[in-house]
Amino acid sequence: MPPTFSMPTKSLLFIVLTFALFATPVWAQTKAPSPINFPTPKNVDNMLFYLQRDPNTNTLIYALNLKENGNIDASSPIQVYWIRYGEQGQKKDLGYIQRKFAYGIDTKALGGDKYEFRFVSHKKLPFYLQRTHDKSYHASVTINNHTIKVNRLFVRIQGGSFWLPNVKYAEVEGIDEATGKPIVERVSVK
């Protein structure tokens, strides 16, 4: 014989089940955020955006690469380097393996002060560097039908090894170019 419930018990059971059903996706999105408190790079010349990732606060800077005359270096328009916050905050070049297999970028000129670039570790997603009406450059990417002026990338890593880190997700933070509002989009890296 099935159990019988009083009206208050039925209402409580309905509320609990409804909460569990609709709360699960929210828990999945916020589950396992990074435990690290990351610094925001300040006073970095020609910075386009920065990338932070677990397991430490060391930050990658992606900056406009200008020649001595102030013009963009068309052969290598973006320079990438570390700010080693986890050490003494010094600037340091990427190592060969980091540049060729992880955080480096491949760039191609598209003409008219516009470049396409892709991360060597995730070539599926094209980013663009372009000059705007005010003569400045910015990096953008289109994700889920939103074109985002990129400010920060975050890569969530949980375990794995040097050659095969367990990347859970990447997030792109910036400004939605259509609305002018802040936006964060999560990207699957699998």
Side-chain angles (χ1 to χ4, degrees), residues 12 20 27 53 56 82 108 120 134 139-140 144 182-183:
L12 181 61
W27 290 336
R53 82 286 175 269
N56 59 48
W82 291 102
K108 76 175 179 180
V120 295
D134 69 354
S140 64
N144 296 328
I183 186 171

Side-chain angles (χ1 to χ4, degrees), residues 29-130:
Q29 290 176 3
T30 60
K31 190 166 87 174
S34 179
I36 299 172
N37 185 16
F38 291 97
T40 301
K42 303 266 191 247
N43 303 319
V44 178
D45 291 338
N46 303 309
M47 183 172 73
L48 295 164
F49 62 92
Y50 59 100
L51 185 150
Q52 294 174 315
R53 82 286 175 269
D54 299 321
N56 59 48
T57 59
N58 293 335
T59 299
L60 288 144
I61 303 296
Y62 293 79
L64 196 58
N65 190 17
L66 299 176
K67 297 179 185 178
E68 287 183 21
N69 65 7
N71 292 330
I72 192 167
D73 183 342
S75 65
S76 180
I78 300 173
Q79 61 178 325
V80 185
Y81 59 89
W82 291 102
I83 295 181
R84 306 293 283 196
Y85 290 114
E87 296 165 19
Q88 297 165 355
Q90 73 273 28
K91 180 178 172 180
K92 187 174 180 184
D93 290 335
L94 271 66
Y96 177 81
I97 292 171
Q98 295 166 341
R99 191 174 59 255
K100 293 294 184 182
F101 298 103
Y103 306 112
I105 55 174
D106 289 329
T107 306
K108 76 175 179 180
L110 300 177
D113 289 327
K114 187 172 183 178
Y115 302 84
E116 178 186 280
F117 65 96
R118 296 174 189 249
F119 286 87
V120 295
S121 58
H122 189 70
K123 294 184 180 195
K124 295 177 189 177
L125 186 62
F127 287 73
Y128 297 93
L129 172 66
Q130 60 191 1

